[in-house]
């Protein structure tokens, strides 16, 4: 193997530095990594290349260097085209932001801002005031607070109000969400003691009443947003639970999970309760996600009675969980759309409400565009369903149209892989040896990019 200094003197490597394609320190780092990788393979008898001279090794290492440099130019976090039809695709970043929210992030990112500055008084302000007035106006809650995600919100509430005390939860609500986040585990981390009541499928008001003691700090309700329990089931109505909690002077906290300010029930989509409904029901504290049905940035939004929110605002843990200026900027812009009755400009809301006819038009446009080209595809537009995703309304299937694409020589897996490796990556579904494009989550501009990718598909595989 050639020495690193010798490799750096290779004209091709020197040219990268002279052209300012790469710094000398980065060149050294990459060459060291490549050589170390080769040496490891050789020592473990896993080196299979038939290279027998220093010059051949040099050529091979320079080739690998070029590949590494190409990879470095591509951002690890990059835009993709979501052709799966899953609106809140957790692996693909969940909710895309509205244009006004993205613009507000840009404005705040490229200048100084009033993050913690009160213009009226010329003194220090609080970042927590930036969106509170919008949230309280939209939900009807007395006060509100934002932390970095809903898991943090759950932990924060339990830590602040129930450390060393008991929290009552129905067994049917001891959920686990993505990333192995379990209510029982987070409660243990917070220092609260879990008191399980009822059974998996049935919990009665009497179960709550019998579990209440002097050590009870909270009654916790966990909304089953990421699964559906059907059949022989029963749970306690919030109104009845509110009466019991008031009688025994114990606050109720509901982890609403997805959380929505738009009433999808009015559009005959699911049965998800709105945050406003929960506030009107008298729940003391409610938390929900910002990047699910709300369609904003990742955040955990806590609303409720002022006396409880004020206690959270004074808690030392808040500084650990606080959000940055970009989250607040995009959340404010998103909430303004709801305030101005322009919720349909939020991409998540728009995608969920999209009707079959509009999706069919996009599917037809895609098929017609491909058929004008000389490509070896067989295509078929068929009825199907889209999922909302993100652990939200799991029982809801949105009617849609998908384009099933078959290739004369390529398998569906090969097509899907090649589209994933395209720039930008195109993520599809694969069913029954066909690639499926669901245009619920694809806009007109992205269709053009998919057409171009499909046109060159045979050359890229």
């Amino acid at each position: 193997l050639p020495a690193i200094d010798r490799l750096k003197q290779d004209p091709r490597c020197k040219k990268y530095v002279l052209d300012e394609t790469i710094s000398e320190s980065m060149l050294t780092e990459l060459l060291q990594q490549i050589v170390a990788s080769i040496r490891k393979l050789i020592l473990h008898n896993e080196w299979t290349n038939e290279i027998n001279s220093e010059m051949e090794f040099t050529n091979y290492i320079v080739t690998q260097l070029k590949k590494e440099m190409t990879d470095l130019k591509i951002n690890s976090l990059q835009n993709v085209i979501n052709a799966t039809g899953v609106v809140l695709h957790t692996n693909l970043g969940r909710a895309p932001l509205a244009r006004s929210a993205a613009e507000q992030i840009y404005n705040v990112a490229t200048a100084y801002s009033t993050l913690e500055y009160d213009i009226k008084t010329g003194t220090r302000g609080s970042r927590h005031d930036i969106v509170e007035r919008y949230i309280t106006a939209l939900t009807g809650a007395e006060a509100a607070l934002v932390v970095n995600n809903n898991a943090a919100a759950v932990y924060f509430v339990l830590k602040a109000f129930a450390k060393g005390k008991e929290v009552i939860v129905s067994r049917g609500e001891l959920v686990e969400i993505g990333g192995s986040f379990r209510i029982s585990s987070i409660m243990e981390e917070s220092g609260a003691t879990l008191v399980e009541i009822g059974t998996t499928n049935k919990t009665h008001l009497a179960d709550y009443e019998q579990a209440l003691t002097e050590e009870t700090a909270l009654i916790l309700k966990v909304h089953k947003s990421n699964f559906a329990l059907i059949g022989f089931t029963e749970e306690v109505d919030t109104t009845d639970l509110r009466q019991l909690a008031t009688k025994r002077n114990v606050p109720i906290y509901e982890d609403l999970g997805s959380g929505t300010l738009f009433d999808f029930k009015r559009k005959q989509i699911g049965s998800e309760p709105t945050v406003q409904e929960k506030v009107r029901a008298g729940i003391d504290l409610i938390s929900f996600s910002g990047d699910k049905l709300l369609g904003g940035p990742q955040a955990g939004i806590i609303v409720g009675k002022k006396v409880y929110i004020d206690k959270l605002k004074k808690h030392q843990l808040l500084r650990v969980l606080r959000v940055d200026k970009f989250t607040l900027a995009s959340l404010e812009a998103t909430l303004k759309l709801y305030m101005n009755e322009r919720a349909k400009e939020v991409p998540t809301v728009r995608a969920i409400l999209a009707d079959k006819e509009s999706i069919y038009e996009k599917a037809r446009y895609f098929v017609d565009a491909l058929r004008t080209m000389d490509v070896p595809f067989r295509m078929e537009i068929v009825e199907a369903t889209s999922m909302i995703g993100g652990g939200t309304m799991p029982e809801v299937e949105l009617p849609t149209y998908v384009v099933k694409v078959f290739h004369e020589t390529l398998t569906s897996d090969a097509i899907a892989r090649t589209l994933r490796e395209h720039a930008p990556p195109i993520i599809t579904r694969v069913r029954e040896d066909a690639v499926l494009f669901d245009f619920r989550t694809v806009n007109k501009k992205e269709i053009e990019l998919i057409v171009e990718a499909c046109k060159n598909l045979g050359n890229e595989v």
Side-chain angles (χ1 to χ4, degrees):
L1 285 169
I4 300 300
D5 285 342
R6 197 174 178 88
L7 286 167
K8 288 171 64 176
Q9 295 307 311
D10 184 281
R12 292 164 292 184
C13 292
K14 290 178 74 173
K15 189 174 188 301
Y16 290 142
V17 176
L18 288 171
D19 293 346
E20 296 184 352
T21 306
I22 190 172
S23 68
E24 187 169 350
S25 60
M26 180 59 76
L27 173 65
T28 303
E29 177 71 23
L30 290 176
L31 287 173
Q32 287 174 339
Q33 289 177 8
I34 295 167
V35 171
S37 176
I38 296 171
R39 182 178 288 111
K40 184 178 178 181
L41 291 172
I42 293 172
L43 291 173
H44 289 81
N45 294 318
E46 296 173 359
W47 179 255
T48 57
N49 291 40
E50 294 183 4
I51 295 177
N52 301 305
S53 69
E54 184 177 321
M55 180 54 70
E56 288 177 338
F57 266 119
T58 299
N59 290 335
Y60 176 82
I61 292 168
V62 172
T63 300
Q64 294 302 113
L65 174 67
K66 188 175 181 180
K67 289 179 181 178
E68 289 288 335
M69 289 169 57
T70 301
D71 288 344
L72 284 172
K73 290 179 182 178
I74 302 172
N75 291 328
S76 297
L77 185 60
Q78 55 183 303
N79 292 356
V80 303
I81 296 174
N82 176 15
T84 67
V86 179
V87 179
L88 295 171
H89 200 306
T90 298
N91 295 348
L92 303 183
R94 289 190 184 160
L97 294 175
R99 179 179 291 276
S100 59
E103 289 173 349
Q104 183 63 357
I105 290 176
Y106 177 83
N107 293 337
V108 168
T110 55
Y112 295 103
S113 65
T114 55
L115 179 65
E116 292 188 354
Y117 185 79
D118 188 324
I119 287 182
K120 290 182 180 178
T121 63
T123 58
R124 180 168 183 163
S126 170
R127 69 178 65 201
H128 305 300
D129 296 338
I130 292 172
V131 294
E132 184 175 25
R133 58 182 174 144
Y134 299 111
I135 298 170
T136 54
L138 286 164
T139 64
E142 292 178 9
L145 185 63
V146 179
V147 293
N148 54 16
N149 61 27
N150 192 48
V154 175
Y155 176 77
F156 190 22
V157 171
L158 292 174
K159 186 79 171 178
F161 294 101
K163 182 182 178 182
K165 295 186 177 181
E166 296 176 351
V167 178
I168 299 172
V169 189
S170 166
R171 285 188 174 89
E173 296 172 6
L174 289 174
V175 302
E176 177 180 316
I177 60 174
S180 301
F181 174 84
R182 293 181 174 182
I183 289 294
S184 54
S185 298
I186 206 70
M187 193 174 293
E188 183 180 347
E189 290 291 336
S190 73
T193 300
L194 169 65
V195 178
E196 300 178 36
I197 61 169
T199 62
T200 303
N201 63 322
K202 280 199 169 192
T203 301
H204 306 281
L205 184 62
D207 294 320
Y208 286 96
E209 194 162 14
Q210 290 168 14
L212 285 165
T213 70
E214 291 183 358
E215 293 300 309
T216 303
L218 285 173
I219 294 175
L220 172 60
K221 286 284 290 179
V222 183
H223 180 59
K224 298 184 286 291
S225 61
N226 66 340
F227 73 101
L229 196 62
I230 59 174
F232 198 50
T233 65
E234 187 173 333
E235 64 178 301
V236 180
D237 181 80
T238 304
T239 305
D240 294 335
L241 196 55
R242 175 68 267 161
Q243 291 175 352
L244 173 63
T246 302
K247 179 182 175 183
R248 300 293 291 270
N249 195 31
V250 175
I252 301 177
Y253 164 47
E254 180 154 6
D255 169 19
L256 200 52
S258 301
T260 179
L261 300 180
F262 185 91
D263 193 353
F264 290 100
K265 299 189 296 299
R266 293 186 178 181
K267 300 293 183 179
Q268 288 74 54
I269 299 175
S271 56
E272 193 77 5
T274 64
V275 178
Q276 298 93 310
E277 289 173 70
K278 291 295 181 179
V279 171
R280 287 196 295 270
I283 305 297
D284 298 293
L285 283 168
I286 303 159
S287 70
F288 55 98
S289 295
D291 61 345
K292 289 191 177 181
L293 290 176
L294 181 69
Q298 176 182 295
I301 302 170
I302 308 171
V303 302
K305 305 286 176 61
K306 189 175 186 301
V307 62
Y308 299 114
I309 297 293
D310 284 349
K311 184 174 180 179
L312 291 174
K313 286 180 178 179
K314 295 173 184 175
H315 199 286
Q316 289 296 310
L317 190 58
L318 180 57
R319 187 171 182 85
V320 179
L321 304 176
R322 72 181 186 181
V323 293
D324 69 354
K325 59 186 177 183
F326 307 125
T327 300
L328 291 169
S330 54
L331 182 57
E332 180 181 23
T334 303
L335 293 170
K336 277 185 174 181
L337 291 175
Y338 284 94
M339 289 283 289
N340 296 327
E341 298 184 353
R342 292 161 55 195
K344 291 181 182 178
E345 292 180 30
V346 176
T348 295
V349 176
R350 185 170 61 240
I352 293 173
L353 296 180
D355 57 71
K356 284 176 63 179
E357 289 69 27
S358 64
I359 298 169
Y360 180 83
E361 287 177 12
K362 289 191 281 188
R364 184 81 261 167
Y365 179 84
F366 170 72
V367 169
D368 290 344
L370 267 190
R371 281 179 176 160
T372 62
M373 304 173 184
D374 185 21
V375 289
F377 283 120
R378 179 164 59 85
M379 293 170 289
E380 183 182 358
I381 301 177
V382 297
E383 291 188 72
T385 56
S386 308
M387 299 297 293
I388 293 175
T392 299
M393 292 197 263
E395 78 285 2
V396 173
E397 294 184 339
L398 302 170
T400 191
Y401 283 99
V402 300
V403 178
K404 296 176 72 172
V405 173
F406 305 87
H407 195 276
E408 289 181 2
T409 58
L410 302 175
T411 66
S412 56
D413 287 337
I415 295 171
R417 183 182 66 253
T418 305
L419 291 172
R420 284 199 309 272
E421 294 171 354
H422 188 266
I426 300 164
I427 315 300
T428 60
R429 286 191 257 165
V430 176
R431 295 285 187 278
E432 300 172 359
D433 203 34
V435 173
L436 273 56
F437 294 91
D438 187 337
F439 291 96
R440 177 181 294 278
T441 48
V442 179
N443 60 44
K444 214 58 176 292
K445 182 180 178 182
E446 290 173 331
I447 294 176
E448 302 290 351
L449 296 173
I450 298 174
V451 169
E452 191 63 27
C454 290
K455 183 179 73 173
N456 299 321
L457 197 59
N459 301 326
E460 295 181 13
V461 176

